[in-house]
Amino acid sequence: MKQKRLLVGISGASGMPIAVELLRALKVSQTEVHLICTDSAVKTLSLETDNPINEIQSLADAVYDSHNIGASPASGSFPMDGMAVVPCSMKTLAGIHSGYSDNLLLRAADVTLKERRKLVLVTRECPLSNIHLRNMYEVSQAGAVILPPVLSYYNRPQSVEEMTRHIVGKILDQFEIEFNEFRRWEG
Ligand SMILES: Cc1cc2nc3c(=O)[nH]c(=O)nc-3n(C[C@H](O)[C@H](O)[C@H](O)COP(=O)(O)O)c2cc1C
């Protein structure tokens, strides 16, 4: 099977352990990962985890400065199998919703939609305002998959780490990438 090439965007919403676990799983699956972190993502990562940013970046095959709007993912001619924004802040959601691409993550998401490639947004906020709900609805109408990191109990998680891995499994399912640690419902 052809090796997949995925763009991972990390924005500054809560949920950094999900992004870290996703990058680890993608490494194991031998997916080629291209990574863009916003400035707020770097700050939130330092507040929510003990993982230094360079450790996270070392899990990716290519890392881009979010200010470098001339980097490869800014163009639709750069082949990609899709993009996941994990977690996706309400600000980044709003940028994608309006096509206001003032950083590389937003531009890459805009390109992903225009090229009709898969865009998965792990949107995170609680509770949600009408603005957030409208943006999610309309971005979904535009072709994105809205995949909020909601808790699930049917898989009987024994730890936060297990819940995190479950969400990672749901994200990877969207790209048809195998993840051995994902416990599926089997009735
Ligand atoms: C610890 C922490 C947690 C945050 N959690 C959220 C969140 O869950 N959802 C959200 O939309 N913004 C959250 N924010 C605010 C965003 O980081 C902020 O809106 C930022 O401007 C987003 O920028 P970005 O989308 O370019 O990364 C959080 C900020 C911090 C410091």
Side-chain angles (χ1 to χ4, degrees), residues 39-60:
D39 293 343
S40 305
V42 177
K43 181 171 180 64
T44 309
L45 181 80
S46 73
L47 293 169
E48 291 193 332
T49 75
D50 294 326
N51 304 98
I53 182 69
N54 54 352
E55 186 188 306
I56 301 312
Q57 290 173 334
S58 72
L59 293 166

Side-chain angles (χ1 to χ4, degrees), residues 11-14 38 40 44 47 89-92 124-125:
S11 71
S14 184
T38 65
S40 305
T44 309
L47 293 169
S89 75
M90 294 302 109
K91 178 194 158 198
T92 286
R124 199 274 156 201
E125 191 46 275

